[in-house]
Amino acid sequence: MGGAIVSDLLTEILIPVAAVIGIAFALIQWLLVSKVQLTPDRKTTSGEDNKNGTGDYLIEEEEGTNEDNVFVKCAEIQKAISEGATSFLFTEYKYVGIFMIAFAVLIFLFLGSVEGFSTKEQPCTYIKDKTCKPALSNAIFSTIAFLLGAVTSVASGFLGMKIATFANARTTLEARKGVGKAFITAFRSGSVMGFLLAANGLFVLYLSINLFKLYYGDDWEGLFEAITGYGLGGSSMALFGRVGGGIYTKAADVGADLVGKVERNIPEDDPRNPAVIADNVGDNVGDIAGMGSDLFGSYAESSCAALVVASISSFGTSHDLTGMFYPLLISSMGIIICLITTLFATDFFEIRAVQEIEPALKRQLIISTALMTVGIAIVSWLALPSSFTIFNFGVQKEVKNWELFFCVAIGLWAGLVIGFVTEYYTSNAYSPVQDVADSCRTGAATNVIFGLALGYKSVIIPIFAIAISIFVSFSLAAMYGIAVAALGMLSTIATGLAIDAYGPISDNAGGIAEMAGMSHRIRERTDALDAAGNTTAAIGKGFAIGSAALVSLALFGAFVSRAAISTVDVLTPKVFIGLIVGAMLPYWFSAMTMKSVGSAALKMVEEVRRQFNSIPGLMEGTAKPDYATCVKISTDASIKEMIPPGALVMLTPLIVGTFFGVETLAGVLAGSLVSGVQIAISASNTGGAWDNAKKYIEAGASEHARTLGPKGSDPHKAAVIGDTIGDPLKDTSGPSLNILIKLMAVESLVFAPFFATHGGLLFKLF
């Protein structure tokens, strides 16, 4: 087995260097965004710079609008959105912090009790002739890893929100100079979030491993078992961020749309609408903070799943550090590749027209995937021995380095396939969404029927892509192959997040333009940015769901091995009851989150109606609405309603594992994975299609679209109703489901020692 070309020392240097480069690049992008002033710049002259736009002339100056007034309004609105988002996240984190401490205590008690809190070294789980650190050590270090993952996840979400609220008004003001300049500001801001999250996630994981190694020494089996707590911490915080943020944003969105657009016939983001600030705050706490925590959780779990399997393979048993750190080297290469890819959007190509926006974002996905394929080949050739063995349910399977390259590459390309299929079903440039828009001619009912059918149909190709990835990667490198395939899908996470975050920033920019009373031409530009962002957000959700399926399967394999289950036989009653209950859980979870949004939206609709009816001059624009009450309704509802769905996900593995045992829990994990992926893809794409069908009618860009419009027509009202039904599907239930399937799997893996020793209490009684 020829050794790796890269030495262990060089590996120890390359990983933190890549993380530091990522953080430095994020800071440079932030400095470039901060150069856009929120105060009038008297030096700006007409036609100063034609790059990335239609010239630096200011539309407002041409139309005689007071420029100082525009800047003041934009700054005021940005401040209100930023304060609302910060206030909500601090309230959310206060409750989440209590849970974090309580769950950390639970991890310590459960894992410490495996050997009765003994401090004696025990025989290793997989290599019986060796001794490993005591179970008490595993309990302590798993708890520390959990807290590190949780804090990093919370920080990722919070930093993302602060960057987005810093950039939204700047994007609006840049839209006055041209669509290209606004695009660059929004995209650079998204890049700050993408690179900070990818680099911080890698750096904290690398640091944790090296600190834990000081205690564990040669016991790599125990070390990487404890590190799985990092993934659990990341995903548990992401669950509350996604659910809480999703309820907040959609309660405000549904309330604002139903009363404002349908009943009062006023434009989206009209300052007269009392829910408009809450709606714009929601974009940041749900689509930015929640999404940031979610993708950090996916990254942490896929890395942990790969490291756990590697630690009991030849990399771990022979203490080959470079081979062991292969997942981290892939992530390091990803940061460098994404850095090069970002320059294509901000420096190498110019955006001159609205129709160039979406191709520029798609180009990011294609370039990053193509370059990353080469990057994976380089890492696989330099960091892996020519052949090695991988743990495969009790036996060691011989694998070649080129086989591992194919595993990572197939995950990467499957992600691109899922992304483009998602785009086809959710972009209004293609026939599926146009058909949904056309169905609005006959009212909301046919719109709903067409939208649901589109969502169900959109599941087919992504599932085949995931199935082929699983079959090929498992055939080549067993469960380790599936774990690195998931990592391949997430290797371009910095670019994926930049594209994802760009959408809500553009959405906020459009809202600020409307509220500040800026020209309709500026609103057209921000709407074009937002429509492209809507599609790319759907693509991002597709990536998240696809990677979640692979990650949870890899974690499931690690759990089965750690819990010493020889086979998972579906014909066994213990397993089958778990399977059928597990398949039900995503429906139960979706019902809770949908109902939560519905209840909160009900209160919001009533409050918005009350203000329109009771505040004299509100519709005429002579009186200001009470924005604060609507913000409070969304905040209170989301904090209260996020607890039951969170408890369902977090408590299910503990209850099933403790009372019914590891075999039933294995069934629950398999069932929730199989049904959860389908519902998540369907829900996200249905909601995305309804949203873009509405935008298709509003834009009136084609002859067909103009026959359905304009805004306020019956087909448009039917489209708005479809969009409001789709809001909780695409932004609350759908994205949260991928966390459900990952989180239950990683939690089961962390608690596997306890379940294997003390689990199945009910079956032991009878």
Side-chain angles (χ1 to χ4, degrees), residues 361-377:
L361 293 169
K362 281 163 65 179
R363 210 162 37 229
Q364 285 286 295
L365 293 173
I366 296 164
I367 293 168
S368 62
T369 303
L371 292 178
M372 192 62 204
T373 307
V374 178
I376 294 162

Side-chain angles (χ1 to χ4, degrees), residues 38-60:
L38 279 178
T39 51
D41 183 3
R42 301 296 174 200
K43 294 176 185 176
T44 301
T45 56
S46 180
E48 183 185 297
D49 181 11
N50 280 318
K51 186 179 179 183
N52 281 316
T54 53
D56 254 359
Y57 63 84
L58 301 180
I59 292 172
E60 264 70 32

Side-chain angles (χ1 to χ4, degrees), residues 186-208:
F187 191 81
R188 277 194 171 133
S189 309
S191 299
V192 178
M193 180 184 179
F195 282 92
L196 272 182
L197 189 142
N200 282 341
L202 175 66
F203 189 71
V204 174
L205 180 58
Y206 170 80
L207 205 62
S208 305

Side-chain angles (χ1 to χ4, degrees), residues 691-763:
D691 193 352
N692 275 342
K694 176 201 71 176
K695 283 187 165 58
Y696 175 74
I697 295 171
E698 288 175 349
S702 68
E703 189 58 43
H704 174 244
R706 284 191 286 275
T707 63
L708 299 167
K711 290 182 182 180
S713 66
D714 286 342
H716 177 248
K717 285 181 178 177
V720 170
I721 289 167
D723 177 35
T724 51
I725 296 168
D727 275 336
L729 284 172
K730 74 178 171 67
D731 290 323
T732 311
S733 298
S736 303
L737 278 171
N738 69 67
I739 303 175
L740 175 140
I741 57 178
K742 292 179 304 183
L743 183 51
M744 292 208 322
V746 74
E747 188 181 337
S748 301
L749 175 59
V750 168
F751 285 96
F754 174 82
F755 298 148
T757 311
H758 302 300
L761 294 178
L762 285 180
F763 289 133

Side-chain angles (χ1 to χ4, degrees), residues 88-89 91-92 95-96 239-252 282 285 596-597 599-601 603 630-645 732:
F88 168 73
L89 286 181
T91 308
E92 181 184 68
Y95 287 92
V96 166
L239 175 70
F240 290 106
R242 262 296 193 194
V243 173
I247 293 167
Y248 185 107
T249 181
K250 290 306 114 181
V285 299
S596 297
V597 171
S599 303
K603 291 175 190 166
C630 291
V631 169
K632 188 175 188 308
I633 287 171
S634 265
T635 302
D636 293 348
S638 55
I639 297 298
K640 178 186 163 194
E641 300 283 355
M642 75 178 181
I643 296 165
T732 311

Side-chain angles (χ1 to χ4, degrees), residues 470-728:
I470 289 167
F471 180 79
V472 173
S473 51
F474 187 84
S475 301
L476 292 174
M479 276 298 169
Y480 187 70
I482 293 171
V484 293
L487 204 62
M489 206 176 273
L490 292 165
S491 58
T492 54
I493 189 173
T495 294
L497 260 170
I499 292 170
D500 250 3
Y502 153 90
I505 291 167
S506 302
D507 193 359
N508 259 202
I512 291 169
E514 184 73 45
M515 284 184 274
M518 294 167 83
S519 157
H520 69 92
R521 279 189 280 172
I522 290 182
R523 184 67 213 225
E524 281 168 12
R525 290 173 179 181
T526 56
D527 277 355
L529 293 169
D530 182 26
N534 244 356
T535 303
T536 53
I539 292 171
K541 285 170 191 142
F543 266 92
I545 295 161
S547 62
L550 295 176
V551 167
S552 57
L553 184 57
L555 291 165
F556 174 72
F559 162 74
V560 167
S561 299
R562 182 62 186 85
I565 305 169
S566 50
T567 53
V568 180
D569 184 356
V570 234
L571 296 175
T572 311
K574 279 184 187 179
V575 175
F576 190 78
I577 60 167
L579 196 68
I580 201 163
V581 169
M584 172 273 295
L585 286 173
Y587 290 93
W588 189 0
F589 179 83
S590 297
M592 291 169 105
T593 50
M594 293 283 286
K595 181 81 182 292
S596 297
V597 171
S599 303
L602 194 67
K603 291 175 190 166
M604 187 67 74
V605 166
E606 286 170 351
E607 173 58 24
V608 175
R609 278 179 183 158
R610 183 195 68 77
Q611 290 199 32
F612 273 123
N613 292 329
S614 63
I615 299 177
L618 184 54
M619 270 303 286
E620 292 74 27
T622 55
K624 282 185 81 173
D626 177 9
Y627 297 126
T629 302
C630 291
V631 169
K632 188 175 188 308
I633 287 171
S634 265
T635 302
D636 293 348
S638 55
I639 297 298
K640 178 186 163 194
E641 300 283 355
M642 75 178 181
I643 296 165
L648 174 70
V649 178
M650 299 300 290
L651 296 177
T652 297
L654 292 178
I655 292 167
V656 174
T658 305
F659 293 104
F660 298 94
V662 287
E663 289 177 326
T664 306
L665 181 54
V668 168
L669 296 179
S672 63
L673 165 59
V674 170
S675 81
V677 171
Q678 328 276 340
I679 305 169
I681 295 172
S682 169
S684 293
N685 290 350
T686 294
W690 276 328
D691 193 352
N692 275 342
K694 176 201 71 176
K695 283 187 165 58
Y696 175 74
I697 295 171
E698 288 175 349
S702 68
E703 189 58 43
H704 174 244
R706 284 191 286 275
T707 63
L708 299 167
K711 290 182 182 180
S713 66
D714 286 342
H716 177 248
K717 285 181 178 177
V720 170
I721 289 167
D723 177 35
T724 51
I725 296 168
D727 275 336

Side-chain angles (χ1 to χ4, degrees), residues 96-182:
V96 166
I98 296 165
F99 157 81
M100 192 165 73
I101 293 161
F103 205 78
V105 171
L106 209 61
I107 292 170
F108 175 74
L109 293 175
F110 270 60
L111 295 184
S113 67
V114 170
E115 298 290 343
F117 296 95
S118 166
T119 53
K120 291 180 183 176
E121 294 200 342
Q122 305 291 329
C124 295
T125 308
Y126 300 98
I127 307 165
K128 300 293 182 187
D129 56 340
K130 284 189 175 181
T131 55
C132 287
K133 299 293 181 186
L136 185 62
S137 300
N138 183 39
I140 294 167
F141 283 95
S142 291
T143 305
I144 294 168
F146 168 80
L147 292 170
L148 281 170
V151 169
T152 311
S153 181
V154 164
S156 299
F158 187 76
L159 283 172
M161 182 278 296
K162 293 305 280 184
I163 292 154
T165 53
F166 177 79
N168 51 16
R170 287 172 166 82
T171 303
T172 309
L173 292 168
E174 285 295 271
R176 302 163 75 222
K177 301 174 185 176
V179 72
K181 288 188 173 288

